[in-house]
Amino acid sequence: MPQSFDNNSPLSHLNINHSLGGAAEFNALITNLMSKMQTITLVKVVALSEGGIAPVGTVDVMPMVQMLDGADNVYSAGQIFSVPYFRLQGGANAIICDPVVGDIGLCAFASRDISIVKRNKAESAPGSRRQYDWNDGLYIGGFLNGVPQQYIGFSNGGIVIHSPTSITLEAPAINLQASSVTTKTGSFAVNASKTAQFTGGAGISSDGDVQAGSVSLKNHTHNGVVTGGGNTGKPNS
């Protein structure tokens, strides 16, 4: 049932168009307040600090969506400095893929001042009473960027690790476990400071010659050859 009002009540004579400057003015006030709240936006990286095998650094970014004034004039929002960027990391384990200048990514803005937390890297009071401010951004990369030249690709057909230059594996021990391993390369070298051992339960085969020092497996000769049941001498070098 609709609620009835007492005509003698002050609220019964309230007209939104005659209060708070009118509905249009009230709407403009709310819109103006909301425009001061930053949430998320697309940005472009213009500078990078640190990076590489180091603690996570920061980027300077430029918002890509420009601003409009009351007369619909377009102007830049201005550069945002020292924005921490995202790195996939757990403890001392990380995938390092730092932003580079020109990258497009997402900048999310915290609801409170995070400046002291950034400095202490610990639970801290807000540095000021500002809220949803340009100065409290966090960068997450990887939006609207071009074709990668170096990548790890996942698909139903498997995983591809591709680099146009080189791939380096570093560890005290590296173990390959597979039913088969195939290499396609112009050359294959093993430089072992100690013993290099190759074992094969079904044998080891080679399409070409195998050489130990100056002795050819396919073309070597023996000395001390005597007809009969005796053994030959060692291979000739």
Side-chain angles (χ1 to χ4, degrees):
M1 176 182 294
Q3 186 176 2
S4 60
F5 295 95
D6 180 3
N7 289 333
N8 294 322
S9 170
L11 292 179
S12 65
H13 302 291
L14 182 63
N15 186 324
I16 190 64
N17 289 309
H18 297 157
S19 62
L20 296 175
E25 289 80 0
F26 184 66
N27 181 69
L29 174 63
I30 297 300
T31 300
N32 180 262
L33 292 174
M34 291 179 62
S35 69
K36 300 181 184 301
M37 298 175 58
Q38 310 311 317
T39 53
I40 56 175
T41 192
L42 288 171
V43 296
K44 179 174 287 188
V45 176
V46 296
L48 169 71
S49 67
E50 300 184 40
I53 305 176
V56 180
T58 61
V59 289
D60 298 342
V61 298
M62 178 69 72
M64 299 188 68
V65 180
Q66 294 178 309
M67 310 293 285
L68 288 173
D69 64 15
D72 287 338
N73 296 309
V74 179
Y75 63 96
S76 172
Q79 192 168 321
I80 308 172
F81 298 93
S82 300
V83 179
Y85 61 81
F86 172 80
R87 174 184 288 173
L88 182 58
Q89 182 166 347
N93 308 296
I95 296 176
I96 299 176
C97 184
D98 295 322
V100 299
V101 173
D103 279 357
I104 297 174
L106 189 70
C107 198
F109 301 93
S111 61
R112 294 294 187 273
D113 183 342
I114 62 173
S115 58
I116 297 181
V117 173
K118 287 164 58 177
R119 183 167 61 249
N120 296 339
K121 297 183 180 179
E123 184 178 7
S124 306
S128 68
R129 294 188 179 277
R130 69 186 183 214
Q131 299 180 29
Y132 303 98
D133 193 83
W134 290 108
N135 293 296
D136 300 307
L138 299 167
Y139 175 80
I140 304 172
F143 291 86
L144 305 179
N145 292 309
V147 179
Q149 302 300 313
Q150 188 164 260
Y151 54 84
I152 300 176
F154 294 83
S155 68
N156 291 334
I159 300 173
V160 175
I161 301 174
H162 173 80
S163 172
T165 54
S166 67
I167 296 175
T168 301
L169 300 178
E170 295 180 350
I174 297 175
N175 302 310
L176 295 178
Q177 297 182 2
S179 57
S180 65
V181 177
T182 303
T183 63
K184 296 180 180 180
T185 178
S187 63
F188 184 83
V190 177
N191 298 315
S193 60
K194 297 181 180 180
T195 302
Q197 180 177 351
F198 295 88
T199 59
I204 299 175
S205 63
S206 171
D207 294 336
D209 195 6
V210 177
Q211 187 165 314
S214 59
V215 179
S216 166
L217 179 63
K218 292 179 65 176
N219 302 311
H220 70 269
T221 60
H222 291 261
N223 59 24
V225 177
V226 178
T227 301
N231 295 321
T232 67
K234 294 180 179 180
N236 294 315
S237 59

